[in-house]
Amino acid sequence: MPAPQALPAAPTYTITDLAREFDVTPRAIRFYEDQGLLSPEREGPGGRKRVYNGRERTRLKLTLRGKRLGLTLNEIREILDLYESPRDTAPQLERFLHSLAQHRGALERQLEDLQAQLAEIDEHEQHCRALLAAQADETGGAEPGIAVKRA
């Protein structure tokens, strides 16, 4: 009977690998570690070398996605914890739904604010264009700010 083959080792990553992959600084990754969002294994003398496994890579990816979405670190931590816990219990699902509803509400308010700001910018642009057109008419079509002598 042939000997059983060893399973291939799960991939690991250095802090530099992850920093390059996700276009962040190693300092940012260490910050997320200090905040309890990541917990790499330690190797080498005094445990100075950080070794990240697939789980930690996924947590970093989700952390960065949460930051892009405007979540706080506490919200990200809660979602990561829910992501890793059994997701089929009613209290966890309810908590997750509550978290999502709160975040949705915040994003909808931000979207309303952005739409209002864009509408204001549109108004200012139209007003500026009208003033420039009026100045061009007054100067006989010359560029604004350049006086045209009329005989």
Side-chain angles (χ1 to χ4, degrees):
M1 180 178 277
Q5 293 182 351
L7 295 174
T12 59
Y13 311 89
T14 65
I15 195 168
T16 304
D17 294 335
L18 293 179
R20 279 191 198 124
E21 179 179 354
F22 293 106
D23 196 26
V24 296
T25 64
R27 182 176 182 201
I29 295 173
R30 288 190 296 273
F31 173 77
Y32 295 137
E33 182 183 340
D34 292 343
Q35 297 300 309
L37 297 167
L38 304 172
S39 54
E41 294 178 24
R42 300 292 188 136
E43 290 182 353
R48 293 184 51 113
K49 181 180 178 188
R50 292 169 169 85
V51 178
Y52 298 86
N53 59 25
R55 172 190 177 269
E56 297 306 311
R57 182 185 170 278
T58 299
R59 287 180 69 92
L60 177 59
K61 182 178 181 179
L62 294 172
T63 296
L64 295 172
R65 182 177 297 157
K67 289 301 293 175
R68 279 193 310 275
L69 292 172
L71 296 172
T72 67
L73 293 180
N74 285 335
E75 290 170 325
I76 292 169
R77 185 178 303 103
E78 185 173 309
I79 290 171
L80 288 174
D81 291 345
L82 288 171
Y83 178 78
E84 291 185 345
S85 64
R87 287 174 270 176
D88 58 351
T89 65
Q92 287 163 327
L93 291 171
E94 288 170 7
R95 191 167 130 213
F96 189 50
L97 281 173
H98 178 74
S99 234
L100 291 173
Q102 282 185 317
H103 188 59
R104 176 185 295 277
L107 288 174
E108 287 172 348
R109 286 187 297 279
Q110 288 175 353
L111 181 59
E112 289 170 7
D113 290 342
L114 288 170
Q115 287 171 335
Q117 287 178 357
L118 288 171
E120 287 179 27
I121 288 171
D122 286 343
E123 286 178 31
H124 290 298
E125 285 177 336
Q126 289 174 0
H127 182 72
C128 288
R129 286 191 176 93
L131 289 173
L132 287 171
Q135 284 181 357
D137 287 345
E138 289 175 9
T139 60
E143 292 184 34
I146 299 175
V148 175
K149 291 184 180 179
R150 295 191 184 187

